[in-house]
Amino acid sequence: MKLIDLRSDTVTQPTAGMRAAMAAADVGDDVYGEDPTVNRLEATLAEMLGKEAAIYVATGTQSNLIGLMSHCERGDEYLVGQQAHTYKYEGGGAAVLGSIQPQPIEHEADGTLSLVRIAAAIKPDDPHFARTRLIALENTIGGKVLPMDYLAKTEALARERGLGMHLDGARLFNAVVKLGRPVGDIARHFDSVSVCLSKGLGAPVGSVLVGSNELIGRARRWRKVLGGGMRQAGLMAAAGLYALDHHVDRLADDHANARALAERLAAIPGIAVDLDLVQTNMAFMQVPLDAGPALKDFLAARGMRISLGPVIRLVTHLDVDRADMDAFADAVGEFFATYRSAATRAAVHA
Ligand SMILES: *Cc1c(COP(=O)(O)O)cnc(C)c1O
């Protein structure tokens, strides 16, 4: 039975080609700056994004943390979305390890942080307040692409107020493929950009933080301090280089699969699917709350994996294809053809 795992795009297995590239990689000690494959990966991403330098790190969480710590010092503050990964899903690392205070801001429906809310959250230079230093955005966020003109306006506000700009670009290439523009068009609005190689790009590990020589110099120090200085890391960096060569354009397939899945699911009575939310490789379905656990078990028995939540996020990736979308939608349809909610069952028996 083929596994259809829609919990995340982190679940992919390295392909045969990627494994071959990893096995063949030239390596050295990266803490001494001597791993040729890591150096090539860093140079490649710096060039693609139009920045001076880059640093290869273990995870996206570490990349964001090192980025924040390279912008901010103890007692500084960064403005960040209430639902942003850096704020909500990274264990509070910026505060815990960086002594950096987050100032969370509510998102608008399109995933942006309104300029009015950002401006209102910037603190005056006064000892009562933390020093506001940085705006951190995420793109894509919840599968949504931030509008290009929004990036320009936010950057203009940041420059006017003397703030830095950091992008959590865990899924930056999904935005790039969706917009059909060079990645530099997005990256140029930010001082630092974190890119995950282990999400839709399909590498087993690794992220890269990109920025100026000065910022990446600081990042290199923090990476070591945080225990992230790896040695012959070229074995893994080779997977990242392979992914950049072979797995960027194909993200369009993931986007098409997410759309096809959402359209199939939207036709099933008993569940709600908002097609407007499907911009890249994520679809979302809402099922009656009491149906979730039974649905999850029903699907698991058929080799299909989901994560439950108030809204169920379904993520497409390298290891699922269009036939899997159909199989998944068929299974959900089959479940709801027979499922009766607890309320309905009670009414029937009354
Ligand atoms: C997955 C993810 C990260 C961090 O990734 P890890 O490698 O799991 O630490 C950061 N930001 C976003 C938006 C993500 O989706």
Short mmCIF file of all heavy atoms in Angstrom, two decimals, residues 13-22 242:
data_model
loop_
_atom_site.label_atom_id
_atom_site.label_comp_id
_atom_site.label_asym_id
_atom_site.label_seq_id
_atom_site.Cartn_x
_atom_site.Cartn_y
_atom_site.Cartn_z
N GLN A 13 10.92 11.55 0.91
CA GLN A 13 12.12 10.71 0.92
C GLN A 13 13.07 11.23 -0.18
O GLN A 13 12.63 11.56 -1.27
CB GLN A 13 11.74 9.27 0.57
CG GLN A 13 10.83 8.62 1.59
CD GLN A 13 11.59 8.13 2.81
OE1 GLN A 13 12.70 7.62 2.69
NE2 GLN A 13 11.00 8.30 3.98
N PRO A 14 14.39 11.25 0.10
CA PRO A 14 15.31 11.65 -0.96
C PRO A 14 15.20 10.70 -2.16
O PRO A 14 15.10 9.49 -1.97
CB PRO A 14 16.70 11.56 -0.30
CG PRO A 14 16.50 10.97 1.05
CD PRO A 14 15.05 10.95 1.37
N THR A 15 15.21 11.25 -3.35
CA THR A 15 15.09 10.43 -4.56
C THR A 15 16.41 9.72 -4.82
O THR A 15 17.45 10.05 -4.24
CB THR A 15 14.77 11.32 -5.78
OG1 THR A 15 15.88 12.22 -5.95
CG2 THR A 15 13.49 12.12 -5.58
N ALA A 16 16.37 8.77 -5.77
CA ALA A 16 17.59 8.04 -6.13
C ALA A 16 18.66 9.01 -6.64
O ALA A 16 19.84 8.91 -6.28
CB ALA A 16 17.27 6.98 -7.19
N GLY A 17 18.25 9.97 -7.47
CA GLY A 17 19.20 10.95 -8.00
C GLY A 17 19.82 11.78 -6.89
O GLY A 17 21.03 12.08 -6.90
N MET A 18 19.00 12.17 -5.93
CA MET A 18 19.49 12.97 -4.81
C MET A 18 20.46 12.15 -3.95
O MET A 18 21.53 12.64 -3.56
CB MET A 18 18.30 13.44 -3.97
CG MET A 18 18.69 14.31 -2.79
SD MET A 18 17.25 14.93 -1.90
CE MET A 18 16.79 16.35 -2.88
N ARG A 19 20.11 10.89 -3.70
CA ARG A 19 21.01 10.03 -2.91
C ARG A 19 22.34 9.85 -3.62
O ARG A 19 23.41 9.84 -2.98
CB ARG A 19 20.36 8.67 -2.66
CG ARG A 19 19.23 8.71 -1.63
CD ARG A 19 18.51 7.36 -1.59
NE ARG A 19 17.27 7.43 -0.83
CZ ARG A 19 17.15 7.06 0.45
NH1 ARG A 19 18.18 6.61 1.10
NH2 ARG A 19 15.98 7.17 1.05
N ALA A 20 22.30 9.72 -4.94
CA ALA A 20 23.54 9.55 -5.70
C ALA A 20 24.40 10.81 -5.58
O ALA A 20 25.62 10.74 -5.40
CB ALA A 20 23.22 9.24 -7.17
N ALA A 21 23.76 11.98 -5.66
CA ALA A 21 24.49 13.24 -5.53
C ALA A 21 25.11 13.36 -4.15
O ALA A 21 26.24 13.83 -4.00
CB ALA A 21 23.55 14.42 -5.80
N MET A 22 24.38 12.90 -3.13
CA MET A 22 24.90 12.95 -1.76
C MET A 22 26.12 12.03 -1.62
O MET A 22 27.15 12.41 -1.06
CB MET A 22 23.82 12.55 -0.76
CG MET A 22 22.65 13.53 -0.72
SD MET A 22 21.26 12.93 0.27
CE MET A 22 21.89 13.19 1.93
N TYR A 242 21.19 19.58 -5.32
CA TYR A 242 20.41 18.75 -6.24
C TYR A 242 18.96 19.25 -6.30
O TYR A 242 18.36 19.37 -7.37
CB TYR A 242 20.45 17.29 -5.78
CG TYR A 242 19.73 16.35 -6.72
CD1 TYR A 242 20.40 15.73 -7.77
CD2 TYR A 242 18.36 16.11 -6.55
CE1 TYR A 242 19.72 14.88 -8.64
CE2 TYR A 242 17.68 15.27 -7.42
CZ TYR A 242 18.37 14.65 -8.46
OH TYR A 242 17.69 13.83 -9.32
#
